Amino acid sequence: MTRVGIGLIGAGIMGSRGHFPGYMEIPTQAQVVAVCDKNQKAVDSIVEKSGAKGYSNYEDLISDSSVDAVDICLPHNLHGPVALAALRAGKHVIVEKPITIDLDQADQIIAEAKKRKLKLMTAENMRFIKAYEIAKRLVVDGTIGEISYVRGYTGGPNEDTSDPSNWRIRASESGGGTIMDDGIHIFYLFRWFAGEIKSIYAKTTKFGKSEISEVEDNAVGTLKFSNGALGIFGFSTTTAAPWTEELQLFGTKGSILVDFLASNPLRVYSIVGRSDDKSKWWSRYGDVSWEYPFIEHSTTEWVTQSMRREVQHFVECILNDNEPLVTGEDGKKAVELVLKGYESARTGREVFL
């Protein structure tokens, strides 16, 4: 295979603005050959731009012989069933997070992909943000020592929770509110940077005034890691500020702060290489200070940029027979933590994984 035929299932915001442009940037490696959505205008828009075949039924798209790989950008409750159907039809699969909202379904699709030797990737775009890639490299190199404490936040204004057509406000379709939809990104990052998580304690609330929303719009909590480190998190969809994400990593030899509302999103402090001669110190912390590595970054387009990079990575994995950087197992681990967070919020107790 020299070029991957992509079938895009779901032409909403994620599919049309995030994933689709990524494929269009690599025409020699991938071609969107089919698109499916119940919104005919959304289908027509992508058909016009790409020449793809349009479908209103995902089963018809999966049966299309020109489709080598399926990209799933649907309401959360459909991720598992559609991914399983695509894998059984012999298609490689990339599925938006959460990989499923049910752990048994996650196990099924992971097993099906392995059995058929197909690529299965969780579309976790945080893994493809340059600031995080550099931060990870610094952590691996020992720049901040052993991580002992982490903080994570994601939030901003979300879609209208008073709109009955918004599937995200229905628990049966979304699987939950801001923890499932937004916080799952932070949980993935926590594991990637600081290792396995041992327990979670969470509190949730529905701060907004919508009478029809069934899910939480704010959440806070704490985590314990297997290595003894601690973490805190906060998620909100009721804040009047541009959508953003913050990650703070504090270690025994330094700290890393990431803030995507900043024009330079990465700050690094490290005592590695600090002079032993205190006469050279200009403060009680030594002859070191915060550094700001230069990173190409857009405060308004960092989300879509990372989505384009993630789908291009998926294509490369198919063409070169490589394992995706974010696997089905990674996606399942993040969902497991989300579900344990909801259990904690319901019971008022710390819940162990």
Side-chain angles (χ1 to χ4, degrees):
M1 185 187 303
T2 58
R3 186 164 71 164
V4 181
I6 301 293
L8 179 63
I9 303 181
I13 292 175
M14 293 292 181
S16 65
R17 299 184 190 177
H19 293 216
F20 174 67
Y23 298 118
M24 295 296 283
E25 288 180 351
I26 52 169
T28 62
Q29 296 171 281
Q31 179 183 6
V32 177
V33 297
V35 56
C36 175
D37 199 284
K38 65 181 182 180
N39 183 332
Q40 189 60 45
K41 287 185 178 179
V43 170
D44 291 344
S45 176
I46 288 182
V47 168
E48 182 180 353
K49 294 172 184 174
S50 65
K53 287 173 278 188
Y55 293 98
S56 59
N57 185 313
Y58 79 84
E59 293 174 332
D60 293 336
L61 181 148
I62 288 172
S63 298
D64 188 328
S65 60
S66 68
V67 173
D68 302 307
V70 168
D71 185 331
I72 301 169
C73 299
L74 293 169
H76 299 163
N77 64 312
L78 299 178
H79 288 184
V82 177
L84 190 60
L87 290 165
R88 286 174 173 168
K91 314 296 185 182
H92 303 285
V93 169
I94 180 171
V95 54
E96 255 298 334
K97 61 79 201 166
I99 186 170
T100 64
I101 57 175
D102 177 275
L103 294 180
D104 289 337
Q105 280 188 351
D107 286 334
Q108 289 179 49
I109 65 175
I110 290 168
E112 193 70 25
K114 288 181 178 178
K115 181 175 76 173
R116 297 179 182 272
K117 295 182 171 55
L118 294 166
K119 303 303 177 188
L120 172 62
M121 178 174 167
T122 304
E124 176 46 81
N125 62 304
M126 296 302 110
R127 179 62 181 79
F128 299 91
I129 293 176
K130 291 182 180 180
Y132 285 144
E133 291 177 337
I134 294 171
K136 178 66 173 181
R137 192 185 315 159
L138 293 170
V139 169
V140 171
D141 289 345
T143 301
I144 66 169
E146 186 178 6
I147 294 175
S148 58
Y149 175 60
V150 300
R151 289 203 305 244
Y153 166 78
T154 186
N158 215 339
E159 298 167 346
D160 185 1
T161 56
S162 298
D163 180 1
S165 68
N166 181 5
W167 59 266
R168 283 184 169 84
I169 68 174
R170 291 185 289 276
S172 62
E173 295 178 58
S174 63
T178 188
I179 299 181
M180 180 67 82
D181 203 22
D182 313 308
I184 197 167
H185 292 299
I186 295 293
F187 290 161
Y188 169 78
L189 291 171
F190 279 174
R191 284 190 63 246
W192 188 40
F193 280 103
E196 295 301 328
I197 294 165
K198 186 168 66 173
S199 69
I200 183 170
Y201 178 79
K203 288 286 188 182
T204 63
T205 187
K206 193 173 78 169
F207 184 81
K209 307 309 178 186
S210 170
E211 295 182 357
I212 60 174
S213 177
E214 302 169 356
V215 299
E216 84 287 351
D217 53 26
N218 282 264
V220 296
T222 59
L223 300 163
K224 291 180 182 176
F225 291 82
S226 296
N227 70 346
L230 295 176
I232 63 173
F233 60 84
F235 316 133
S236 176
T237 58
T238 60
T239 54
W243 192 269
T244 192
E245 186 170 285
E246 297 176 5
L247 181 70
Q248 300 178 345
L249 308 169
F250 299 94
T252 54
K253 295 182 179 179
S255 302
I256 294 173
L257 309 182
V258 182
D259 178 0
F260 289 120
L261 288 184
S263 56
N264 196 329
L266 184 63
R267 282 189 288 167
V268 182
Y269 177 86
S270 177
I271 62 171
V272 175
R274 181 174 63 181
S275 175
D276 293 329
D277 183 357
K278 292 190 176 182
S279 67
K280 297 180 179 179
W281 290 16
W282 56 71
S283 77
R284 64 189 181 95
Y285 301 108
D287 56 344
V288 293
S289 60
W290 287 102
E291 297 182 6
Y292 298 77
F294 175 76
I295 299 170
E296 292 182 6
H297 173 70
S298 167
T299 58
T300 57
E301 297 182 6
W302 58 273
V303 174
T304 53
Q305 287 174 344
S306 59
M307 287 182 177
R308 293 198 296 270
R309 292 186 69 205
E310 78 181 352
V311 300
Q312 291 166 6
H313 169 73
F314 174 61
V315 170
E316 290 171 0
C317 288
I318 295 172
L319 293 176
N320 300 320
D321 193 22
N322 293 329
E323 183 77 357
L325 289 175
V326 188
T327 64
E329 288 85 352
D330 291 326
K332 178 191 171 185
K333 283 278 191 180
V335 172
E336 181 183 15
L337 190 55
V338 168
L339 296 179
K340 294 294 185 182
Y342 285 136
E343 180 183 344
S344 173
R346 285 194 306 269
T347 62
R349 297 194 300 267
E350 178 182 21
V351 174
F352 290 83
L353 278 75

